[in-house]
Amino acid sequence: MVLILRILLFRHGESIGNREQRMPGHCQDSLTRPGKMQTQRLGQALADQGWIPTQVYTSPAKRSLQTAEILMTQLTAQIQPLQTIPCLQDDRLGEVNNGILGDLTWSEAQARYPQLCQTLESSLNWIPIPQAES
C-alpha cells in the first residue's frame, strides 16, 4: 500500500501590518479586506480542485487564525456536515519576535535606531537585534 502525503503551506492573507509595510513579528494585527478576499479566492480554488485537508495547523497570530477560519469555511462547505477538520494552533508556527523593531516600518526603525539600521544594511554578518529572538 502506498500512502500519499500532501502538505500545503501558505502564509496568511494581507494584514494591516503588511499594508502599512510594518515588521509585525508577534504583533496581533488583522487581515485587510483584500487579505480576506485573497484567502477566500485561495479557499475557492482549493475547493474547486477537491482539496480537503485532514488537519489544519496555524500560528496563534490573529491574522493567521482569520486566514484559517476563512479557508475552513470555504473547504468544509463541500464535505458532509458531520465531518469535521481539526484546526490546531501551534506556537511554533508563529513569526519571530522582532524585538525593538517589532511593529515599526523601516523608516520608523531608521529614525529610532539609526546606527543599528545602518549596520543591518551594510553588514553581511548576523547582527543581533535587542530583545529579539536569536
mmCIF file of all heavy atoms in Angstrom, residues 54-103:
data_model
loop_
_atom_site.group_PDB
_atom_site.id
_atom_site.type_symbol
_atom_site.label_atom_id
_atom_site.label_comp_id
_atom_site.label_asym_id
_atom_site.label_seq_id
_atom_site.Cartn_x
_atom_site.Cartn_y
_atom_site.Cartn_z
ATOM 1 N N THR A 54 -7.008 16.962 5.993
ATOM 2 C CA THR A 54 -7.368 16.124 7.134
ATOM 3 C C THR A 54 -7.108 16.871 8.437
ATOM 4 O O THR A 54 -7.729 16.590 9.450
ATOM 5 C CB THR A 54 -6.561 14.812 7.134
ATOM 6 O OG1 THR A 54 -5.172 15.125 7.091
ATOM 7 C CG2 THR A 54 -6.953 13.948 5.945
ATOM 8 N N GLN A 55 -6.172 17.819 8.398
ATOM 9 C CA GLN A 55 -5.864 18.660 9.554
ATOM 10 C C GLN A 55 -5.361 20.003 9.051
ATOM 11 O O GLN A 55 -4.779 20.088 7.978
ATOM 12 C CB GLN A 55 -4.788 18.033 10.434
ATOM 13 C CG GLN A 55 -5.231 16.789 11.138
ATOM 14 C CD GLN A 55 -4.164 16.298 12.105
ATOM 15 O OE1 GLN A 55 -3.240 16.997 12.458
ATOM 16 N NE2 GLN A 55 -4.322 15.070 12.541
ATOM 17 N N VAL A 56 -5.571 21.017 9.866
ATOM 18 C CA VAL A 56 -5.053 22.348 9.578
ATOM 19 C C VAL A 56 -4.290 22.817 10.807
ATOM 20 O O VAL A 56 -4.777 22.672 11.931
ATOM 21 C CB VAL A 56 -6.205 23.340 9.246
ATOM 22 C CG1 VAL A 56 -5.685 24.754 9.119
ATOM 23 C CG2 VAL A 56 -6.926 22.904 7.984
ATOM 24 N N TYR A 57 -3.111 23.355 10.580
ATOM 25 C CA TYR A 57 -2.297 23.912 11.659
ATOM 26 C C TYR A 57 -2.103 25.398 11.386
ATOM 27 O O TYR A 57 -1.915 25.805 10.248
ATOM 28 C CB TYR A 57 -0.924 23.241 11.714
ATOM 29 C CG TYR A 57 -0.984 21.788 12.118
ATOM 30 C CD1 TYR A 57 -1.156 20.788 11.167
ATOM 31 C CD2 TYR A 57 -0.876 21.419 13.450
ATOM 32 C CE1 TYR A 57 -1.217 19.460 11.534
ATOM 33 C CE2 TYR A 57 -0.940 20.091 13.824
ATOM 34 C CZ TYR A 57 -1.110 19.116 12.863
ATOM 35 O OH TYR A 57 -1.176 17.800 13.230
ATOM 36 N N THR A 58 -2.159 26.196 12.438
ATOM 37 C CA THR A 58 -1.981 27.630 12.293
ATOM 38 C C THR A 58 -1.228 28.192 13.488
ATOM 39 O O THR A 58 -1.243 27.606 14.571
ATOM 40 C CB THR A 58 -3.347 28.344 12.153
ATOM 41 O OG1 THR A 58 -3.135 29.755 12.003
ATOM 42 C CG2 THR A 58 -4.237 28.107 13.351
ATOM 43 N N SER A 59 -0.581 29.312 13.261
ATOM 44 C CA SER A 59 0.030 30.016 14.382
ATOM 45 C C SER A 59 -1.090 30.699 15.168
ATOM 46 O O SER A 59 -2.202 30.866 14.655
ATOM 47 C CB SER A 59 1.047 31.053 13.880
ATOM 48 O OG SER A 59 0.420 32.256 13.531
ATOM 49 N N PRO A 60 -0.816 31.137 16.390
ATOM 50 C CA PRO A 60 -1.851 31.813 17.170
ATOM 51 C C PRO A 60 -2.040 33.286 16.796
ATOM 52 O O PRO A 60 -2.886 33.960 17.387
ATOM 53 C CB PRO A 60 -1.350 31.670 18.609
ATOM 54 C CG PRO A 60 0.115 31.490 18.494
ATOM 55 C CD PRO A 60 0.364 30.811 17.185
ATOM 56 N N ALA A 61 -1.299 33.779 15.806
ATOM 57 C CA ALA A 61 -1.443 35.181 15.398
ATOM 58 C C ALA A 61 -2.852 35.411 14.851
ATOM 59 O O ALA A 61 -3.387 34.571 14.105
ATOM 60 C CB ALA A 61 -0.404 35.542 14.343
ATOM 61 N N LYS A 62 -3.436 36.545 15.189
ATOM 62 C CA LYS A 62 -4.804 36.856 14.770
ATOM 63 C C LYS A 62 -4.962 36.750 13.259
ATOM 64 O O LYS A 62 -5.932 36.184 12.763
ATOM 65 C CB LYS A 62 -5.177 38.253 15.253
ATOM 66 C CG LYS A 62 -6.607 38.642 14.990
ATOM 67 C CD LYS A 62 -6.918 40.001 15.591
ATOM 68 C CE LYS A 62 -8.370 40.354 15.385
ATOM 69 N NZ LYS A 62 -8.680 41.668 16.009
ATOM 70 N N ARG A 63 -4.000 37.281 12.497
ATOM 71 C CA ARG A 63 -4.080 37.255 11.029
ATOM 72 C C ARG A 63 -4.066 35.821 10.503
ATOM 73 O O ARG A 63 -4.734 35.503 9.528
ATOM 74 C CB ARG A 63 -2.953 38.089 10.425
ATOM 75 C CG ARG A 63 -1.564 37.653 10.852
ATOM 76 C CD ARG A 63 -0.510 38.706 10.508
ATOM 77 N NE ARG A 63 0.792 38.373 11.054
ATOM 78 C CZ ARG A 63 1.239 38.786 12.235
ATOM 79 N NH1 ARG A 63 0.482 39.560 13.004
ATOM 80 N NH2 ARG A 63 2.440 38.456 12.653
ATOM 81 N N SER A 64 -3.331 34.939 11.173
ATOM 82 C CA SER A 64 -3.271 33.531 10.767
ATOM 83 C C SER A 64 -4.559 32.801 11.128
ATOM 84 O O SER A 64 -5.052 31.977 10.351
ATOM 85 C CB SER A 64 -2.071 32.843 11.421
ATOM 86 O OG SER A 64 -0.875 33.460 11.006
ATOM 87 N N LEU A 65 -5.091 33.092 12.306
ATOM 88 C CA LEU A 65 -6.356 32.476 12.715
ATOM 89 C C LEU A 65 -7.488 32.893 11.787
ATOM 90 O O LEU A 65 -8.332 32.067 11.416
ATOM 91 C CB LEU A 65 -6.683 32.850 14.163
ATOM 92 C CG LEU A 65 -5.752 32.265 15.223
ATOM 93 C CD1 LEU A 65 -6.020 32.908 16.579
ATOM 94 C CD2 LEU A 65 -5.906 30.758 15.289
ATOM 95 N N GLN A 66 -7.515 34.161 11.386
ATOM 96 C CA GLN A 66 -8.537 34.621 10.449
ATOM 97 C C GLN A 66 -8.395 33.899 9.111
ATOM 98 O O GLN A 66 -9.390 33.496 8.508
ATOM 99 C CB GLN A 66 -8.422 36.133 10.229
ATOM 100 C CG GLN A 66 -8.883 36.952 11.403
ATOM 101 C CD GLN A 66 -8.663 38.434 11.161
ATOM 102 O OE1 GLN A 66 -7.647 38.861 10.639
ATOM 103 N NE2 GLN A 66 -9.650 39.232 11.553
ATOM 104 N N THR A 67 -7.160 33.749 8.648
ATOM 105 C CA THR A 67 -6.915 33.043 7.383
ATOM 106 C C THR A 67 -7.420 31.610 7.470
ATOM 107 O O THR A 67 -8.120 31.132 6.576
ATOM 108 C CB THR A 67 -5.414 33.085 7.031
ATOM 109 O OG1 THR A 67 -5.010 34.446 6.863
ATOM 110 C CG2 THR A 67 -5.110 32.297 5.776
ATOM 111 N N ALA A 68 -7.080 30.918 8.557
ATOM 112 C CA ALA A 68 -7.516 29.530 8.726
ATOM 113 C C ALA A 68 -9.037 29.431 8.775
ATOM 114 O O ALA A 68 -9.635 28.540 8.163
ATOM 115 C CB ALA A 68 -6.900 28.940 9.997
ATOM 116 N N GLU A 69 -9.677 30.352 9.469
ATOM 117 C CA GLU A 69 -11.141 30.324 9.577
ATOM 118 C C GLU A 69 -11.808 30.506 8.210
ATOM 119 O O GLU A 69 -12.748 29.783 7.865
ATOM 120 C CB GLU A 69 -11.607 31.427 10.528
ATOM 121 C CG GLU A 69 -13.104 31.460 10.735
ATOM 122 C CD GLU A 69 -13.538 32.576 11.681
ATOM 123 O OE1 GLU A 69 -12.752 32.954 12.567
ATOM 124 O OE2 GLU A 69 -14.663 33.068 11.504
ATOM 125 N N ILE A 70 -11.309 31.448 7.430
ATOM 126 C CA ILE A 70 -11.883 31.671 6.096
ATOM 127 C C ILE A 70 -11.680 30.445 5.217
ATOM 128 O O ILE A 70 -12.594 29.993 4.528
ATOM 129 C CB ILE A 70 -11.270 32.937 5.451
ATOM 130 C CG1 ILE A 70 -11.711 34.186 6.215
ATOM 131 C CG2 ILE A 70 -11.653 33.036 3.968
ATOM 132 C CD1 ILE A 70 -10.941 35.438 5.855
ATOM 133 N N LEU A 71 -10.479 29.885 5.241
ATOM 134 C CA LEU A 71 -10.200 28.691 4.429
ATOM 135 C C LEU A 71 -11.065 27.513 4.862
ATOM 136 O O LEU A 71 -11.602 26.790 4.023
ATOM 137 C CB LEU A 71 -8.723 28.313 4.500
ATOM 138 C CG LEU A 71 -7.794 29.176 3.669
ATOM 139 C CD1 LEU A 71 -6.348 28.829 3.970
ATOM 140 C CD2 LEU A 71 -8.078 29.019 2.190
ATOM 141 N N MET A 72 -11.195 27.336 6.171
ATOM 142 C CA MET A 72 -12.003 26.219 6.668
ATOM 143 C C MET A 72 -13.453 26.371 6.222
ATOM 144 O O MET A 72 -14.102 25.397 5.857
ATOM 145 C CB MET A 72 -11.926 26.149 8.194
ATOM 146 C CG MET A 72 -10.539 25.869 8.735
ATOM 147 S SD MET A 72 -9.949 24.240 8.315
ATOM 148 C CE MET A 72 -10.972 23.276 9.374
ATOM 149 N N THR A 73 -13.968 27.585 6.230
ATOM 150 C CA THR A 73 -15.336 27.837 5.776
ATOM 151 C C THR A 73 -15.486 27.444 4.312
ATOM 152 O O THR A 73 -16.455 26.783 3.930
ATOM 153 C CB THR A 73 -15.712 29.318 5.979
ATOM 154 O OG1 THR A 73 -15.629 29.617 7.379
ATOM 155 C CG2 THR A 73 -17.113 29.604 5.475
ATOM 156 N N GLN A 74 -14.528 27.845 3.489
ATOM 157 C CA GLN A 74 -14.577 27.533 2.060
ATOM 158 C C GLN A 74 -14.478 26.024 1.822
ATOM 159 O O GLN A 74 -15.195 25.480 0.991
ATOM 160 C CB GLN A 74 -13.431 28.220 1.317
ATOM 161 C CG GLN A 74 -13.496 29.725 1.287
ATOM 162 C CD GLN A 74 -14.547 30.235 0.348
ATOM 163 O OE1 GLN A 74 -15.487 30.862 0.795
ATOM 164 N NE2 GLN A 74 -14.425 29.977 -0.913
ATOM 165 N N LEU A 75 -13.584 25.359 2.534
ATOM 166 C CA LEU A 75 -13.311 23.948 2.271
ATOM 167 C C LEU A 75 -14.354 23.012 2.873
ATOM 168 O O LEU A 75 -14.671 21.982 2.292
ATOM 169 C CB LEU A 75 -11.917 23.574 2.766
ATOM 170 C CG LEU A 75 -10.767 24.279 2.042
ATOM 171 C CD1 LEU A 75 -9.443 23.983 2.718
ATOM 172 C CD2 LEU A 75 -10.725 23.893 0.576
ATOM 173 N N THR A 76 -14.893 23.359 4.028
ATOM 174 C CA THR A 76 -15.856 22.455 4.662
ATOM 175 C C THR A 76 -17.230 22.548 4.020
ATOM 176 O O THR A 76 -18.072 21.681 4.250
ATOM 177 C CB THR A 76 -15.972 22.719 6.174
ATOM 178 O OG1 THR A 76 -16.311 24.088 6.392
ATOM 179 C CG2 THR A 76 -14.674 22.380 6.888
ATOM 180 N N ALA A 77 -17.473 23.559 3.212
ATOM 181 C CA ALA A 77 -18.769 23.681 2.541
ATOM 182 C C ALA A 77 -19.005 22.527 1.570
ATOM 183 O O ALA A 77 -20.150 22.230 1.233
ATOM 184 C CB ALA A 77 -18.846 25.011 1.795
ATOM 185 N N GLN A 78 -17.945 21.850 1.148
ATOM 186 C CA GLN A 78 -18.083 20.788 0.149
ATOM 187 C C GLN A 78 -18.104 19.377 0.747
ATOM 188 O O GLN A 78 -18.233 18.410 0.018
ATOM 189 C CB GLN A 78 -16.950 20.892 -0.871
ATOM 190 C CG GLN A 78 -15.583 20.620 -0.285
ATOM 191 C CD GLN A 78 -14.500 20.673 -1.334
ATOM 192 O OE1 GLN A 78 -14.763 20.474 -2.503
ATOM 193 N NE2 GLN A 78 -13.275 20.923 -0.905
ATOM 194 N N ILE A 79 -17.993 19.253 2.074
ATOM 195 C CA ILE A 79 -17.966 17.920 2.677
ATOM 196 C C ILE A 79 -19.208 17.693 3.531
ATOM 197 O O ILE A 79 -19.958 18.615 3.815
ATOM 198 C CB ILE A 79 -16.680 17.699 3.511
ATOM 199 C CG1 ILE A 79 -16.579 18.710 4.656
ATOM 200 C CG2 ILE A 79 -15.451 17.769 2.625
ATOM 201 C CD1 ILE A 79 -15.401 18.500 5.566
ATOM 202 N N GLN A 80 -19.361 16.453 3.947
ATOM 203 C CA GLN A 80 -20.521 16.102 4.757
ATOM 204 C C GLN A 80 -20.563 16.954 6.028
ATOM 205 O O GLN A 80 -19.533 17.209 6.640
ATOM 206 C CB GLN A 80 -20.446 14.641 5.170
ATOM 207 C CG GLN A 80 -20.475 13.664 4.024
ATOM 208 C CD GLN A 80 -20.288 12.240 4.534
ATOM 209 O OE1 GLN A 80 -20.419 11.968 5.706
ATOM 210 N NE2 GLN A 80 -19.989 11.343 3.615
ATOM 211 N N PRO A 81 -21.743 17.370 6.426
ATOM 212 C CA PRO A 81 -21.851 18.214 7.615
ATOM 213 C C PRO A 81 -21.306 17.564 8.885
ATOM 214 O O PRO A 81 -20.884 18.248 9.785
ATOM 215 C CB PRO A 81 -23.346 18.485 7.755
ATOM 216 C CG PRO A 81 -23.994 17.965 6.535
ATOM 217 C CD PRO A 81 -23.011 17.106 5.803
ATOM 218 N N LEU A 82 -21.331 16.221 8.943
ATOM 219 C CA LEU A 82 -20.867 15.547 10.154
ATOM 220 C C LEU A 82 -19.347 15.438 10.226
ATOM 221 O O LEU A 82 -18.791 15.174 11.284
ATOM 222 C CB LEU A 82 -21.496 14.154 10.250
ATOM 223 C CG LEU A 82 -23.021 14.125 10.335
ATOM 224 C CD1 LEU A 82 -23.520 12.691 10.352
ATOM 225 C CD2 LEU A 82 -23.497 14.870 11.567
ATOM 226 N N GLN A 83 -18.677 15.625 9.114
ATOM 227 C CA GLN A 83 -17.214 15.514 9.100
ATOM 228 C C GLN A 83 -16.605 16.848 9.534
ATOM 229 O O GLN A 83 -16.984 17.902 9.059
ATOM 230 C CB GLN A 83 -16.732 15.164 7.692
ATOM 231 C CG GLN A 83 -15.237 14.933 7.614
ATOM 232 C CD GLN A 83 -14.804 14.579 6.192
ATOM 233 O OE1 GLN A 83 -15.626 14.393 5.308
ATOM 234 N NE2 GLN A 83 -13.515 14.504 5.996
ATOM 235 N N THR A 84 -15.679 16.776 10.460
ATOM 236 C CA THR A 84 -15.001 17.984 10.903
ATOM 237 C C THR A 84 -13.515 17.882 10.583
ATOM 238 O O THR A 84 -12.958 16.786 10.511
ATOM 239 C CB THR A 84 -15.182 18.228 12.406
ATOM 240 O OG1 THR A 84 -14.641 17.115 13.116
ATOM 241 C CG2 THR A 84 -16.635 18.424 12.776
ATOM 242 N N ILE A 85 -12.912 19.023 10.401
ATOM 243 C CA ILE A 85 -11.477 19.085 10.138
ATOM 244 C C ILE A 85 -10.842 19.802 11.322
ATOM 245 O O ILE A 85 -11.176 20.959 11.596
ATOM 246 C CB ILE A 85 -11.178 19.859 8.839
ATOM 247 C CG1 ILE A 85 -11.886 19.189 7.653
ATOM 248 C CG2 ILE A 85 -9.684 19.970 8.596
ATOM 249 C CD1 ILE A 85 -11.868 20.020 6.386
ATOM 250 N N PRO A 86 -9.956 19.124 12.048
ATOM 251 C CA PRO A 86 -9.338 19.784 13.197
ATOM 252 C C PRO A 86 -8.451 20.948 12.758
ATOM 253 O O PRO A 86 -7.712 20.849 11.789
ATOM 254 C CB PRO A 86 -8.494 18.686 13.848
ATOM 255 C CG PRO A 86 -8.678 17.461 13.056
ATOM 256 C CD PRO A 86 -9.521 17.758 11.870
ATOM 257 N N CYS A 87 -8.576 22.054 13.468
ATOM 258 C CA CYS A 87 -7.728 23.231 13.244
ATOM 259 C C CYS A 87 -6.952 23.467 14.534
ATOM 260 O O CYS A 87 -7.529 23.827 15.556
ATOM 261 C CB CYS A 87 -8.569 24.443 12.878
ATOM 262 S SG CYS A 87 -7.567 25.875 12.441
ATOM 263 N N LEU A 88 -5.666 23.225 14.482
ATOM 264 C CA LEU A 88 -4.834 23.247 15.673
ATOM 265 C C LEU A 88 -3.887 24.443 15.662
ATOM 266 O O LEU A 88 -3.187 24.680 14.682
ATOM 267 C CB LEU A 88 -4.023 21.951 15.757
ATOM 268 C CG LEU A 88 -4.847 20.664 15.619
ATOM 269 C CD1 LEU A 88 -3.948 19.471 15.402
ATOM 270 C CD2 LEU A 88 -5.718 20.478 16.834
ATOM 271 N N GLN A 89 -3.873 25.177 16.770
ATOM 272 C CA GLN A 89 -2.934 26.281 16.913
ATOM 273 C C GLN A 89 -1.624 25.747 17.476
ATOM 274 O O GLN A 89 -1.626 24.927 18.386
ATOM 275 C CB GLN A 89 -3.480 27.326 17.879
ATOM 276 C CG GLN A 89 -4.679 28.060 17.372
ATOM 277 C CD GLN A 89 -5.144 29.099 18.373
ATOM 278 O OE1 GLN A 89 -4.344 29.797 18.960
ATOM 279 N NE2 GLN A 89 -6.448 29.187 18.559
ATOM 280 N N ASP A 90 -0.526 26.233 16.925
ATOM 281 C CA ASP A 90 0.782 25.782 17.383
ATOM 282 C C ASP A 90 1.706 26.991 17.470
ATOM 283 O O ASP A 90 1.985 27.647 16.465
ATOM 284 C CB ASP A 90 1.354 24.747 16.408
ATOM 285 C CG ASP A 90 2.567 24.025 16.957
ATOM 286 O OD1 ASP A 90 3.395 24.663 17.650
ATOM 287 O OD2 ASP A 90 2.705 22.823 16.686
ATOM 288 N N ASP A 91 2.168 27.295 18.679
ATOM 289 C CA ASP A 91 3.047 28.444 18.898
ATOM 290 C C ASP A 91 4.319 28.372 18.059
ATOM 291 O O ASP A 91 4.900 29.399 17.715
ATOM 292 C CB ASP A 91 3.438 28.552 20.369
ATOM 293 C CG ASP A 91 2.268 28.951 21.254
ATOM 294 O OD1 ASP A 91 1.272 29.493 20.726
ATOM 295 O OD2 ASP A 91 2.350 28.720 22.479
ATOM 296 N N ARG A 92 4.747 27.154 17.726
ATOM 297 C CA ARG A 92 5.988 27.007 16.951
ATOM 298 C C ARG A 92 5.851 27.542 15.528
ATOM 299 O O ARG A 92 6.846 27.739 14.841
ATOM 300 C CB ARG A 92 6.418 25.539 16.924
ATOM 301 C CG ARG A 92 6.777 25.005 18.315
ATOM 302 C CD ARG A 92 7.004 23.533 18.282
ATOM 303 N NE ARG A 92 5.746 22.854 17.949
ATOM 304 C CZ ARG A 92 5.618 21.543 17.834
ATOM 305 N NH1 ARG A 92 6.658 20.757 18.007
ATOM 306 N NH2 ARG A 92 4.458 21.005 17.529
ATOM 307 N N LEU A 93 4.626 27.782 15.082
ATOM 308 C CA LEU A 93 4.405 28.329 13.743
ATOM 309 C C LEU A 93 4.379 29.853 13.728
ATOM 310 O O LEU A 93 4.245 30.468 12.683
ATOM 311 C CB LEU A 93 3.093 27.792 13.169
ATOM 312 C CG LEU A 93 3.040 26.287 12.962
ATOM 313 C CD1 LEU A 93 1.648 25.863 12.541
ATOM 314 C CD2 LEU A 93 4.068 25.858 11.934
ATOM 315 N N GLY A 94 4.507 30.463 14.897
ATOM 316 C CA GLY A 94 4.455 31.915 14.991
ATOM 317 C C GLY A 94 5.677 32.580 14.380
ATOM 318 O O GLY A 94 6.732 31.966 14.220
ATOM 319 N N GLU A 95 5.497 33.836 14.023
ATOM 320 C CA GLU A 95 6.612 34.596 13.478
ATOM 321 C C GLU A 95 7.609 34.915 14.583
ATOM 322 O O GLU A 95 7.283 34.881 15.765
ATOM 323 C CB GLU A 95 6.100 35.891 12.832
ATOM 324 C CG GLU A 95 5.261 35.601 11.604
ATOM 325 C CD GLU A 95 4.968 36.839 10.784
ATOM 326 O OE1 GLU A 95 5.854 37.697 10.640
ATOM 327 O OE2 GLU A 95 3.846 36.933 10.284
ATOM 328 N N VAL A 96 8.818 35.246 14.180
ATOM 329 C CA VAL A 96 9.860 35.549 15.155
ATOM 330 C C VAL A 96 9.554 36.860 15.856
ATOM 331 O O VAL A 96 8.866 37.732 15.328
ATOM 332 C CB VAL A 96 11.263 35.611 14.500
ATOM 333 C CG1 VAL A 96 11.650 34.278 13.909
ATOM 334 C CG2 VAL A 96 11.335 36.720 13.477
ATOM 335 N N ASN A 97 10.090 36.979 17.050
ATOM 336 C CA ASN A 97 9.988 38.218 17.801
ATOM 337 C C ASN A 97 11.031 39.176 17.238
ATOM 338 O O ASN A 97 12.227 38.900 17.272
ATOM 339 C CB ASN A 97 10.234 37.930 19.282
ATOM 340 C CG ASN A 97 10.130 39.165 20.141
ATOM 341 O OD1 ASN A 97 10.162 40.287 19.653
ATOM 342 N ND2 ASN A 97 10.015 38.954 21.432
ATOM 343 N N ASN A 98 10.593 40.314 16.715
ATOM 344 C CA ASN A 98 11.496 41.291 16.115
ATOM 345 C C ASN A 98 12.128 42.231 17.124
ATOM 346 O O ASN A 98 12.800 43.189 16.741
ATOM 347 C CB ASN A 98 10.740 42.136 15.074
ATOM 348 C CG ASN A 98 10.268 41.326 13.906
ATOM 349 O OD1 ASN A 98 10.808 40.266 13.614
ATOM 350 N ND2 ASN A 98 9.246 41.809 13.231
ATOM 351 N N GLY A 99 11.873 42.006 18.393
ATOM 352 C CA GLY A 99 12.479 42.836 19.422
ATOM 353 C C GLY A 99 12.090 44.299 19.277
ATOM 354 O O GLY A 99 10.933 44.621 19.023
ATOM 355 N N ILE A 100 13.082 45.184 19.400
ATOM 356 C CA ILE A 100 12.807 46.619 19.366
ATOM 357 C C ILE A 100 12.307 47.099 18.005
ATOM 358 O O ILE A 100 11.769 48.198 17.893
ATOM 359 C CB ILE A 100 14.036 47.446 19.799
ATOM 360 C CG1 ILE A 100 15.217 47.213 18.852
ATOM 361 C CG2 ILE A 100 14.396 47.148 21.252
ATOM 362 C CD1 ILE A 100 16.413 48.117 19.108
ATOM 363 N N LEU A 101 12.457 46.276 16.964
ATOM 364 C CA LEU A 101 11.982 46.666 15.631
ATOM 365 C C LEU A 101 10.536 46.223 15.365
ATOM 366 O O LEU A 101 9.957 46.580 14.354
ATOM 367 C CB LEU A 101 12.899 46.092 14.544
ATOM 368 C CG LEU A 101 14.369 46.513 14.605
ATOM 369 C CD1 LEU A 101 15.150 45.892 13.454
ATOM 370 C CD2 LEU A 101 14.506 48.019 14.614
ATOM 371 N N GLY A 102 9.960 45.474 16.292
ATOM 372 C CA GLY A 102 8.613 44.950 16.106
ATOM 373 C C GLY A 102 7.576 46.037 15.906
ATOM 374 O O GLY A 102 7.552 47.021 16.634
ATOM 375 N N ASP A 103 6.747 45.858 14.909
ATOM 376 C CA ASP A 103 5.636 46.725 14.538
ATOM 377 C C ASP A 103 6.066 48.102 14.022
ATOM 378 O O ASP A 103 5.260 49.005 13.918
ATOM 379 C CB ASP A 103 4.636 46.884 15.685
ATOM 380 C CG ASP A 103 3.242 47.233 15.176
ATOM 381 O OD1 ASP A 103 2.880 46.777 14.070
ATOM 382 O OD2 ASP A 103 2.526 47.975 15.866
#
